């Protein structure tokens, strides 16, 4: 019997004993999550992020610092996005305007984060407008933006990192953790959709269901036909990449598919993971190989510190003050909006949530991992959660469609068509066919 069990007091080696502020930090993280609760009966808004890869017309890389590189592109965008973000050396890292921010990823993938959107037509207008503006800048200099899941010609380590101290530390740390950290950072591009929750129970329910959906969404939104300059060797390359980045902070949140999971458990997971970097006065960002719990062992984290800690996790679904659903590759705009429509129909209609509860009630970690492996190997021929994945995709698409208002169901069609044909964008690219 250990000392905790014998006396009811924590042993000297337990996190609670070594971290006197642990309980207050758990409370601070839980309070941060709870601050995202929105009023029940709201419009059901979506945040949408799309990353694109900038290349020359011959598909060779465009770096941040080229003559017409991504720093130059951001400067051209300033006319329409007048607010700027720079680093301590004055390097331009992003531009924005109300409800829209253009930022760059580690190897200068360009990202539009926009919303929240209460309707899909407004979301479509925002992203179509951005893509058209970007094309007007890029085409005259022989460049273009590719909405695909991985760089079409380059190897990740050959791509130049942007001048952002945070990314320098992450590149070093993740490069030593597993094989694909640099690939994730430098080569990949994604589509992400964020949803709101109206209570702690609603948050936990949507979080669990979103995780259960991840393998299915990964298949439906697979758009990576090339990896490290070569044709892919299997389907769902994005899934494979994330399995070889850092299992301490990627993939599944521990126990999240367990019905007993709660926000305190999520907070403990954050505290017990290595920070990589933390804010510091001297250099803005400082490297740390200690856990967040150890770093803040003797005092309660501020909201800004909690927000940073949460941002250092890259799970397939991530909780902030909203739920970020992250398994989709970058895709052309009609498919991005179709994906947003699917998420809206699945998560903002009570009947849809009930149907998903019934569909995924028994899904646990082992099922999730088995589903990912089967889909990478067999795609639409795989079996997932005890049924053919093609049938499961049909059911998910039907639930999503039923959860949308009639005037928004048309937005779902591009993805619905792919599912009906049992193909992905990556499959079509391999065949040389137009989507």
């Amino acid at each position: 019997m250990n000392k905790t069990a014998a006396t009811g007091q924590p042993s000297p080696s337990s996190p609670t004993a070594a971290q006197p502020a642990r309980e207050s930090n758990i409370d601070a993280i839980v309070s941060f999550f709870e601050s995202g609760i929105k009023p029940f009966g709201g419009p059901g808004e979506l945040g949408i992020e799309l990353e694109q890869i900038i290349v020359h017309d011959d598909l060779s890389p465009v770096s941040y610092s080229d003559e017409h590189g991504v720093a130059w592109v951001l400067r051209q965008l300033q006319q329409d996005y007048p607010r700027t973000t720079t680093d301590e050396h004055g390097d331009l890292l992003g531009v924005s305007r109300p409800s829209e921010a253009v930022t760059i990823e580690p190897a200068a993938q360009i990202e539009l984060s926009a919303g929240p959107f209460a309707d899909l037509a407004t979301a479509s207008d925002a992203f179509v407008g951005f893509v058209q503006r970007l094309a007007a800048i890029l085409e005259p200099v022989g460049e273009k933006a590719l909405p695909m899941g991985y760089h079409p010609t380059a190897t990740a380590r050959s791509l130049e990192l942007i001048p952002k101290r945070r990314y320098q530390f992450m590149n070093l740390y993740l490069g030593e953790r597993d094989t694909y950290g640099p690939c994730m950072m430098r080569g990949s591009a994604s589509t992400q959709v964020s949803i709101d929750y109206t209570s702690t129970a609603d948050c936990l329910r949507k979080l669990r269901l979103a995780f259960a959906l991840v393998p299915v969404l990964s298949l439906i939104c697979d758009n990576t036909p090339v990896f490290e300059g070569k044709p892919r060797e299997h389907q769902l390359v994005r899934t494979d990449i994330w399995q070889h980045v850092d299992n301490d902070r990627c993939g599944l949140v521990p126990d999240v598919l367990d019905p007993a999971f709660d926000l305190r458990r999520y907070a403990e997971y954050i505290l017990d993971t290595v920070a990589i970097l933390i804010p510091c006065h001297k250099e803005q960002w400082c490297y740390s190989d200690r856990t967040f719990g150890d770093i803040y062992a003797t005092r309660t984290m501020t909201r800004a510190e909690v927000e940073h800690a949460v941002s250092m996790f890259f799970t397939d679904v991530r909780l902030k003050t909203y739920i970020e659903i992250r398994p989709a590759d970058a895709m052309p705009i009609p498919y991005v909006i179709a994906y947003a429509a699917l998420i809206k129909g699945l998560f903002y209609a009570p009947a849809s949530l009930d149907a998903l509860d019934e569909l995924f009630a028994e899904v646990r970690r082992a099922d999730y991992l088995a589903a990912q492996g089967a889909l990478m190997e067999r795609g639409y021929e795989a079996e997932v959660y005890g049924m053919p994945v093609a049938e499961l995709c049909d059911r998910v698409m039907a639930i999503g469609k039923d959860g949308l208002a009639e005037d928004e169901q048309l937005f779902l069609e591009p993805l619905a068509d792919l599912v009906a044909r049992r193909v992905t964008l990556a499959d079509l690219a391999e065949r040389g066919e137009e989507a």
Side-chain angles (χ1 to χ4, degrees):
M1 182 181 293
N2 63 33
K3 188 173 180 180
T4 303
T7 66
Q9 299 298 318
S11 68
S13 60
S14 73
T16 303
Q19 300 171 10
R22 184 175 178 85
E23 287 300 314
S24 67
N25 280 323
I26 289 173
D27 290 342
I29 295 169
V30 170
S31 294
F32 173 74
F33 293 147
E34 290 176 339
S35 73
I37 292 172
K38 302 295 190 299
F40 182 78
E45 294 179 323
L46 302 170
I48 305 174
E49 300 177 16
L50 173 64
E51 300 165 359
Q52 298 182 84
I53 298 167
I54 309 299
V55 296
H56 296 287
D57 285 342
D58 65 0
L59 302 184
S60 61
V62 173
S63 74
Y64 177 84
S65 59
D66 287 346
E67 179 184 0
H68 295 116
V70 175
W72 174 83
V73 173
L74 290 175
R75 290 195 293 272
Q76 309 314 301
L77 286 168
Q78 276 185 253
Q79 180 178 347
D80 299 301
Y81 299 84
R83 301 174 184 170
T84 62
T85 301
T86 59
D87 69 3
E88 63 270 27
H89 304 295
D91 294 305
L92 185 59
L93 299 179
V95 296
S96 65
R97 63 189 182 193
S99 301
E100 297 182 24
V102 183
T103 55
I104 48 178
E105 293 297 299
Q109 306 97 311
I110 198 161
E111 175 184 297
L112 175 64
S113 303
F117 298 107
D119 66 273
L120 296 168
T122 303
S124 180
D125 289 345
F127 279 85
V128 168
F130 174 72
V131 166
Q132 291 174 342
R133 180 70 184 103
L134 197 56
I137 294 169
L138 297 174
E139 287 176 3
V141 296
E143 297 174 1
K144 55 188 174 183
L146 296 181
M148 63 186 304
Y150 204 82
H151 199 288
T153 61
T155 59
R157 290 167 179 80
S158 70
L159 297 169
E160 174 189 86
L161 279 175
I162 68 169
K164 189 172 182 179
R165 188 173 175 85
R166 171 187 172 109
Y167 291 154
Q168 309 293 326
F169 285 129
M170 288 176 59
N171 184 67
L172 288 171
Y173 180 84
L174 295 178
E176 295 178 353
R177 291 289 292 171
D178 208 333
T179 51
Y180 289 160
C183 299
M184 176 277 290
M185 291 182 63
R186 303 190 196 198
S188 70
S190 69
T191 303
Q192 300 175 17
V193 177
S194 299
I195 57 173
D196 291 326
Y197 44 90
T198 59
S199 66
T200 299
D202 187 53
C203 173
L204 292 168
R205 182 190 197 190
K206 288 175 176 173
L207 194 64
R208 177 177 54 80
L209 292 173
F211 268 109
L213 277 161
V214 160
V216 177
L217 298 177
S218 299
L219 175 64
I220 291 172
C221 301
D222 184 6
N223 191 27
T224 301
V226 175
F227 178 61
E228 291 289 87
K230 300 177 182 178
R232 64 179 183 174
E233 296 181 356
H234 58 77
Q235 301 191 54
L236 277 66
V237 171
R238 180 176 177 81
T239 297
D240 191 27
I241 290 172
W242 280 106
Q243 288 181 346
H244 297 280
V245 174
D246 179 359
N247 287 333
D248 287 344
R249 68 186 71 244
C250 304
L252 272 173
V253 174
D255 303 324
V256 71
L257 293 172
D258 187 326
F261 182 82
D262 61 15
L263 293 181
R264 288 184 61 83
R265 179 68 189 90
Y266 204 131
E268 290 170 348
Y269 166 57
I270 291 168
L271 290 175
D272 293 338
T273 303
V274 170
I276 305 180
L277 69 158
I278 55 173
C280 61
H281 295 298
K282 184 178 180 182
E283 298 286 353
Q284 190 175 19
W285 295 107
C286 293
Y287 174 78
S288 178
D289 59 3
R290 295 186 296 158
T291 67
F292 286 108
D294 286 337
I295 291 166
Y296 301 108
T298 60
R299 68 170 178 85
T300 305
M301 300 166 74
T302 66
R303 182 181 175 89
E305 288 164 344
V306 170
E307 193 165 2
H308 164 70
V310 169
S311 78
M312 293 304 297
F313 289 75
F314 314 110
T315 46
D316 297 331
V317 180
R318 179 165 61 180
L319 180 58
K320 294 183 173 180
T321 51
Y322 45 84
I323 296 171
E324 193 176 74
I325 303 172
R326 300 164 48 85
D329 281 329
M331 299 177 287
I333 299 304
Y335 297 90
V336 170
I337 303 304
Y339 180 50
L342 178 60
I343 297 301
K344 182 175 185 178
L346 292 174
F347 286 95
Y348 282 135
S352 295
L353 291 172
D354 290 343
L356 293 176
D357 274 334
E358 183 176 347
L359 197 56
F360 299 123
E362 304 303 320
V363 172
R364 299 294 182 267
R365 176 182 176 84
D367 306 306
Y368 182 93
L369 297 177
Q372 290 183 319
L375 289 170
M376 283 190 283
E377 181 179 351
R378 304 191 63 204
Y380 270 106
E381 299 298 316
E383 185 168 292
V384 169
Y385 302 154
M387 71 177 71
V389 74
E391 177 185 332
L392 182 57
C393 288
D394 287 341
R395 292 179 66 176
V396 167
M397 295 300 294
I399 292 168
K401 183 177 180 180
D402 289 344
L404 290 170
E406 188 174 350
D407 64 342
E408 292 197 319
Q409 290 180 354
L410 284 175
F411 287 105
L412 198 56
E413 287 190 358
L415 279 185
D417 178 65
L418 290 180
V419 171
R421 294 162 60 193
R422 309 307 193 217
V423 297
T424 66
L425 290 172
D427 294 333
L428 296 178
E430 282 185 319
R431 303 171 190 171
E433 299 178 19
E434 291 290 330

